[in-house]
């Protein structure tokens, strides 16, 4: 810049040039400081409108009882990774083989995330590989199908109304809902409508007819441990891959408080933000080495590594989110601490206490209990729909979600509530606190049941009745819940 100036003004005296340079410097430094002011302004100064909304959300999280089974409060180190400079970098490809320069530190981070992910589940790197790049659970699952099951290849997963996930192949009588059912042929398996338990005999019977390439052992709403050994036997009988989707329970698996899918699976996918308490992201674990030995004694090797890695990138994704990958690395490190094991045990203890408490108040729990982090209430005997129950609970600052129960005719008007304990456990809730939570839930539901008796079948009329005739009761209960909840700290930044 200055050499160009000197060239332009080469007829000037040296004194004139010095004056010119000084004035140019002052101008540039003012411009730089203006730019820096814009770029480095705090959010609360640069965008107060958005900041106010974020603060309200923080307050909602603090004041409410968060009981959505898939949610959690992540840790400060995870949040710090997410909001770090790593967000700036493009790094398509795998560590050590990138399509862009400048990735020497990014590579270190991604290698660390891979190593710690394997360590978190005590996996031998000779036998298991991992891809930490999926943006979340749905892309992770879709990458597996893309890499391992050819287009229109066959997949079996638990039906969504019975507790499976959309990506496990959901479709209805009239519509293919999930892309899994559009681009692959999916056949659901179900739970026994009487017991609510997965019907393994039926899976085998169906699998023998359908001959799937891949069977998914995974749930989003099922309160029992899965029988991975049984899934393995079924897969072996029909020559299918076994993919476990452990998204909900991956924190419990890391802590060793629920059976691990790794012994029996070929592929394991997970999100990292549920019981694992990391960032919103996804991971795929895949087996390496010998898959089987054929009749001639020849070893058949797994080829999952290249298929899955290439399906993630370039198949489905662009640049990996390295800030999230760093956050995975630190979350995986946290799973190795004794505190994490205590937390995971407490999640299950709290869920069992919640189940006992609700049963003692006369509520029906699908499968009759829980072995994990959540339960499913069947509200049919109580005369209130899942949607109305969800609404009245939300009105008193208790967040959970309506859910189908086995035997429900319509997924649009489900009869159950899914309730989980990971988020409250992170906030320090113990069994005695869960007893208080049971009382809050019961008070709200009793009120809802009363209102539902007269408001008619429609949700809109129920909501109207809540506000027109019961607003003082609702407000009083909400105040109690919020006062109670506020005593328990949230991890993360104090204000946001
Ligand atoms: N949305 C998650 C759940 O609530 O289970 C699954 O992706």
């Amino acid at each position: 810049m200055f050499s160009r100036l000197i060239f332009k003004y080469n007829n000037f005296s040296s004194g004139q040039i010095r004056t010119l340079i000084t004035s140019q410097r002052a101008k540039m430094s003012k411009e730089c400081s203006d730019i820096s002011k814009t770029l480095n302004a705090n959010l609360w100064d640069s965008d107060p409108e958005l900041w106010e909304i974020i603060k309200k959300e923080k307050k909602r999280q603090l004041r409410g009882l968060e009981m959505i089974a898939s949610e959690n409060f992540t840790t400060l180190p995870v949040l710090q990774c997410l909001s770090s400079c790593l967000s700036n970098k493009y790094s398509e490809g795998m560590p050590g083989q990138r399509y862009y320069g400048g990735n020497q530190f990014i590579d270190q981070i991604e290698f660390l995330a891979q190593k710690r992910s394997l360590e978190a589940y005590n996996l031998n790197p000779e036998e298991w590989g991992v891809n930490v790049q999926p943006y979340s659970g749905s892309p992770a699952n879709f990458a597996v199908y893309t890499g391992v099951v050819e287009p229109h290849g066959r997949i079996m997963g638990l039906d969504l109304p019975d507790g499976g996930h959309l990506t496990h192949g959901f479709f209805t009588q009239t519509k293919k809902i999930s892309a899994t059912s559009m681009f692959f042929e999916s056949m659901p398996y179900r739970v026994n409508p009487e017991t609510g338990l997965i019907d393994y005999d039926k899976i085998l019977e169906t699998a023998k007819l359908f001959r799937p390439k891949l069977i998914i052992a995974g749930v989003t709403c099922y309160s029992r441990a899965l029988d991975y050994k049984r899934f393995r036997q079924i897969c072996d009988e029909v020559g299918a891959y076994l993919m476990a989707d452990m998204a909900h329970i991956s924190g419990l698996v890391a802590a060793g408080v629920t059976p691990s899918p790794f012994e029996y699976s070929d592929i394991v996918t997970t999100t990292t933000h549920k019981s694992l308490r990391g960032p919103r992201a996804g991971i795929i674990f895949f087996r390496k080495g010998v898959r089987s030995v054929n009749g001639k004694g020849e070893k058949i090797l797994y080829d999952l590594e290249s298929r899955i890695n290439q399906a993630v990138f370039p198949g489905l994704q662009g640049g990996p989110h390295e800030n999230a990958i760093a956050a995975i690395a630190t979350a995986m490190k946290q799973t190795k601490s004794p505190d994490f094991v205590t937390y995971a045990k407490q999640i299950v203890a709290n869920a069992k206490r919640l189940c006992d408490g609700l049963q003692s108040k006369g509520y029906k729990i699908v499968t009759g209990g829980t072995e994990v982090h959540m339960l499913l209430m069947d509200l049919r005997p109580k005369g209130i729909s899942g949607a109305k129950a969800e609404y009245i609970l939300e009105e008193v600052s208790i967040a959970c979600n309506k859910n189908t129960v086995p035997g429900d005719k319509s997924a649009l008007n489900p009869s159950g509530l899914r309730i989980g304990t990971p988020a409250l456990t992170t906030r320090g809730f113990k069994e005695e606190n869960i007893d208080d939570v049971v009382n809050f839930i019961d008070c709200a539901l009793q009120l809802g049941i009363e209102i539902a008796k007269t408001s008619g079948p429609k949700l809109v009329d129920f909501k109207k009745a809540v506000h027109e005739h019961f607003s003082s009761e609702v407000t009083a209960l909400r105040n109690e819940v919020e006062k109670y909840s506020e005593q328990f700290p949230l991890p993360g930044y104090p204000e946001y």
Side-chain angles (χ1 to χ4, degrees):
M1 170 95 185
F2 292 125
S3 60
R4 266 191 282 128
L5 274 174
I6 289 165
F7 176 75
K8 186 172 171 192
Y9 298 106
N10 60 2
N11 290 331
F12 282 34
S13 71
S14 57
Q16 282 173 313
I17 288 176
R18 258 201 309 276
T19 312
L20 195 64
I21 287 175
T22 312
S23 79
Q24 283 294 333
R25 271 203 182 124
K27 192 168 158 238
M28 279 176 63
S29 125
K30 183 176 174 315
E31 275 168 13
C32 285
S33 106
D34 287 348
I35 288 169
S36 153
K37 249 192 233 158
T38 319
L39 297 183
N40 286 328
N42 283 309
L43 182 62
W44 41 93
D45 293 324
S46 71
D47 194 344
E49 185 187 1
L50 176 62
W51 175 243
E52 281 310 310
I53 305 173
I54 294 175
K55 277 202 306 186
K56 281 186 199 157
E57 170 59 13
K58 177 77 180 190
K59 206 180 262 180
R60 188 197 67 80
Q61 292 187 10
L62 182 71
R63 288 182 169 175
L65 295 176
E66 183 52 75
M67 303 195 78
I68 291 175
S70 48
E71 289 190 14
N72 212 331
F73 300 105
T74 197
T75 63
L76 185 59
V78 164
L79 291 175
Q80 287 171 333
C81 290
L82 290 175
S83 59
S84 70
C85 66
L86 303 173
S87 180
N88 300 333
K89 193 70 195 98
Y90 258 124
S91 52
E92 274 102 331
M94 296 304 284
Q97 299 162 310
R98 306 286 192 182
Y99 287 81
Y100 291 82
N103 274 303
Q104 61 269 46
F105 302 115
I106 295 292
D107 281 355
Q108 287 177 23
I109 288 166
E110 196 167 327
F111 277 132
L112 195 60
Q114 291 175 345
K115 177 172 155 290
R116 288 183 180 170
S117 297
L118 294 173
E119 283 169 0
Y121 297 98
N122 304 313
L123 301 175
N124 178 350
E126 299 296 311
E127 294 170 3
W128 284 91
V130 62
N131 187 310
V132 293
Q133 297 189 358
Y135 299 144
S136 201
S138 298
N141 287 350
F142 207 75
V144 172
Y145 312 145
T146 304
V148 178
V149 183
E150 72 281 6
H152 294 286
R154 295 176 187 175
I155 291 171
M156 276 179 68
L158 182 60
D159 210 5
L160 180 99
D162 286 40
H165 189 248
L166 272 170
T167 58
H168 298 170
F170 186 51
F171 63 94
T172 67
Q173 212 164 346
T174 53
K175 200 168 174 198
K176 294 191 168 191
I177 307 285
S178 158
T180 308
S181 63
M182 294 173 197
F183 301 112
F184 305 92
E185 302 306 324
S186 65
M187 170 67 81
Y189 59 85
R190 298 216 161 107
V191 298
N192 177 315
E194 302 304 320
T195 61
L197 297 169
I198 287 176
D199 189 342
Y200 292 93
D201 291 337
K202 194 84 185 161
I203 301 178
L204 176 60
E205 196 184 311
T206 312
K208 279 181 168 171
L209 292 170
F210 187 61
R211 297 271 154 197
K213 179 98 183 257
L214 179 142
I215 297 179
I216 304 152
V219 296
T220 64
C221 187
Y222 190 67
S223 60
R224 298 292 174 170
L226 295 183
D227 187 346
Y228 296 110
K229 189 174 176 187
R230 191 75 206 280
F231 270 112
R232 176 77 268 162
Q233 289 163 349
I234 295 167
C235 284
D236 287 345
E237 283 221 29
V238 299
Y241 285 109
L242 176 58
M243 175 187 123
D245 177 348
M246 63 166 187
H248 267 253
I249 53 161
S250 54
L252 308 184
V253 174
V257 302
T258 197
S260 166
F262 285 97
E263 186 181 347
Y264 297 107
S265 305
D266 302 297
I267 300 157
V268 178
T269 62
T270 185
T271 50
T272 53
H273 49 273
K274 298 187 174 87
S275 56
L276 192 62
R277 213 165 55 185
R280 298 191 86 89
I283 299 188
I284 305 168
F285 297 91
F286 44 82
R287 277 207 188 254
K288 303 198 300 198
V290 180
R291 183 179 182 199
S292 58
V293 179
N294 68 15
K296 294 185 218 153
E298 293 161 344
K299 290 176 179 164
I300 314 290
L301 299 180
Y302 278 106
D303 60 356
L304 297 173
E305 180 165 14
S306 58
R307 283 165 172 265
I308 288 173
N309 285 344
Q310 283 168 27
V312 173
F313 174 84
L316 292 165
Q317 295 193 172
H321 296 174
E322 294 293 343
N323 54 337
I325 288 173
I328 290 172
T330 204
M332 290 298 180
K333 180 169 188 258
Q334 288 163 0
T335 65
K336 287 296 181 194
S337 76
D339 283 354
F340 190 86
V341 177
T342 309
Y343 145 80
K345 283 184 180 156
Q346 190 66 52
I347 289 178
V348 179
N350 283 348
K352 285 181 189 291
R353 187 68 158 245
L354 181 68
C355 186
D356 293 345
L358 291 170
Q359 281 175 323
S360 75
K361 292 200 180 283
Y363 293 99
K364 186 176 172 195
I365 305 298
V366 176
T367 79
T370 180
E371 296 162 352
V372 285
H373 62 297
M374 50 81 51
L375 55 84
L376 177 60
M377 290 171 82
D378 180 350
L379 293 166
R380 285 174 297 191
K382 293 287 182 187
I384 183 168
S385 70
K388 287 174 187 164
E390 180 192 286
Y391 182 75
I392 192 80
L393 286 168
E394 183 167 9
E395 283 297 296
V396 302
S397 292
I398 301 174
C400 58
N401 65 282
K402 59 182 175 294
N403 214 99
T404 43
V405 295
D408 257 343
K409 295 282 173 288
S410 156
L412 294 175
N413 186 21
S415 311
L417 270 186
R418 186 184 70 159
I419 314 185
T421 54
L424 292 189
T425 307
T426 291
R427 293 185 72 179
F429 280 60
K430 303 282 190 301
E431 284 93 328
E432 58 275 20
N433 309 116
I434 295 297
D435 293 341
D436 298 328
V437 170
V438 167
N439 287 330
F440 288 136
I441 292 175
D442 183 43
C443 282
L445 289 181
Q446 289 304 334
L447 189 58
I449 290 163
E450 267 318 294
I451 300 170
K453 276 183 191 157
T454 53
S455 68
K458 287 191 184 154
L459 181 62
V460 60
D461 296 327
F462 178 82
K463 288 183 179 178
K464 217 165 131 202
V466 168
H467 292 287
E468 283 179 2
H469 308 300
F470 293 89
S471 88
S472 57
E473 288 91 335
V474 167
T475 306
L477 185 54
R478 179 170 56 239
N479 289 343
E480 253 190 86
V481 169
E482 292 189 345
K483 201 163 145 223
Y484 188 86
S485 180
E486 270 178 318
Q487 303 171 82
F488 296 87
L490 285 181
Y493 300 113
E495 269 198 300
Y496 57 106

